[in-house]
Amino acid sequence: ESVLTQSPGTLSLSPGERATLSCRASQSVSSYLAWYQQKPGQAPRLLIYDASSRATGIPDRFSGSGSGTDFTLTISRLEPADFAVYYCQQYGSSPRTFGQGTKVEIK
Amino acid sequence: QVQLVQSGAEVKKPGASVKVSCKASGYFFTSYAMNWVRQAPGQSLEWMGWINVDNGNTKYSQKFQGRVTFTRDTFANTAYMELSSLRSEDTAVYYCARPESGSYFNHWGQGTLVTVSS
């Protein structure tokens, strides 16, 4: 099973700042990595798939990079709606697994 | 547009079973697999497996093998997840989730809270 470790656990930033979230896999998942945003009481929302492709309707301030075992989600300028929990998910091997999440909170 | 509408919250006693439904609309139901993902309170997401809606073939995460069953009704455009021998650790929100391609999830149901308590 590929274990995904996200860091940091919590990121405290102000609107307008840049957010950099990390996801590390215990074994290579090639580029089979997705990122989701989740707000309280809501289902997750797909942001990025195949490590760097934005899902439909996702603003270009969200970008993903990486391959193999190290991945990054960058939010270039935080907007109030971006404060949420972010999860990475790998689909390079079965079972599909998720990271434990990074909470982006308002500083 | 694609919509996945799940059944309502359930409260079950330990040892019981629960069956959650996921009604799909806005697309051709048998063209896409359906996955199930759960989230315990305050925890991350956990993939349970998927069903090939066209032929009924299933793939279960080993963690749930023997306790979970995925089925579908192609006439009702509905997928089902049944979990048996419930224990308190199964208290979670259960989601159906559909990919566009690959195994990442573009579309999600609203979630169904299952509470297991004596």
Side-chain angles (χ1 to χ4, degrees):
Chain A
E1 174 173 321
S2 184
V3 176
L4 300 182
T5 302
Q6 292 187 240
S7 61
T10 302
L11 203 48
S12 298
L13 295 167
S14 300
E17 290 194 293
R18 182 185 189 91
T20 303
L21 288 67
S22 173
C23 177
R24 178 163 290 178
S26 61
Q27 59 196 67
S28 176
V29 298
S30 185
S31 293
Y32 298 121
L33 190 105
W35 290 93
Y36 300 86
Q37 176 193 70
Q38 188 178 35
K39 297 180 180 179
Q42 296 184 15
R45 173 195 182 197
L46 177 69
L47 301 174
I48 300 288
Y49 63 94
D50 292 349
S52 61
S53 297
R54 266 188 302 277
T56 302
I58 301 304
D60 60 8
R61 65 180 182 274
F62 291 92
S63 63
S65 63
S67 66
T69 60
D70 288 294
F71 300 87
T72 301
L73 174 70
T74 302
I75 311 171
S76 58
R77 296 171 313 278
L78 282 164
E79 295 196 0
D82 299 337
F83 291 93
V85 179
Y86 293 83
Y87 295 99
C88 56
Q89 178 232 333
Q90 67 80 21
Y91 45 100
S93 64
S94 191
R96 311 314 186 198
T97 50
F98 292 85
Q100 83 279 17
T102 290
K103 181 179 182 180
V104 179
E105 64 176 23
I106 299 177
K107 187 174 182 180
Chain B
Q1 75 281 20
V2 174
Q3 276 200 301
L4 303 174
V5 179
Q6 298 184 222
S7 48
E10 303 262 14
V11 179
K12 296 291 183 181
K13 294 196 181 302
S17 297
V18 69
K19 191 170 186 177
V20 177
S21 67
C22 171
K23 182 168 178 60
S25 62
Y27 71 97
F28 195 55
F29 183 58
T30 55
S31 293
Y32 299 89
M34 191 69 76
N35 289 251
W36 290 89
V37 176
R38 77 176 187 180
Q39 186 172 37
Q43 302 301 308
S44 181
L45 300 155
E46 184 172 33
W47 179 77
M48 300 178 71
W50 61 273
I51 182 169
N52 180 321
V53 173
D54 187 32
N55 61 22
N57 287 346
T58 54
K59 169 74 172 177
Y60 301 124
S61 170
Q62 192 169 2
K63 176 174 179 176
F64 301 99
Q65 193 84 35
R67 263 205 323 139
V68 72
T69 304
F70 302 149
T71 56
R72 90 284 189 228
D73 180 342
T74 56
F75 295 102
N77 285 1
T78 302
Y80 300 92
M81 185 283 300
E82 185 168 20
L83 188 62
S84 62
S85 303
L86 289 168
R87 34 206 189 232
S88 58
E89 310 89 88
D90 294 317
T91 293
V93 176
Y94 290 76
Y95 294 100
C96 56
R98 201 217 83 178
E100 286 287 338
S101 63
S103 293
Y104 51 88
F105 310 122
N106 305 70
H107 307 283
W108 295 71
Q110 83 277 18
T112 297
L113 176 62
V114 175
T115 303
V116 182
S117 173
S118 55

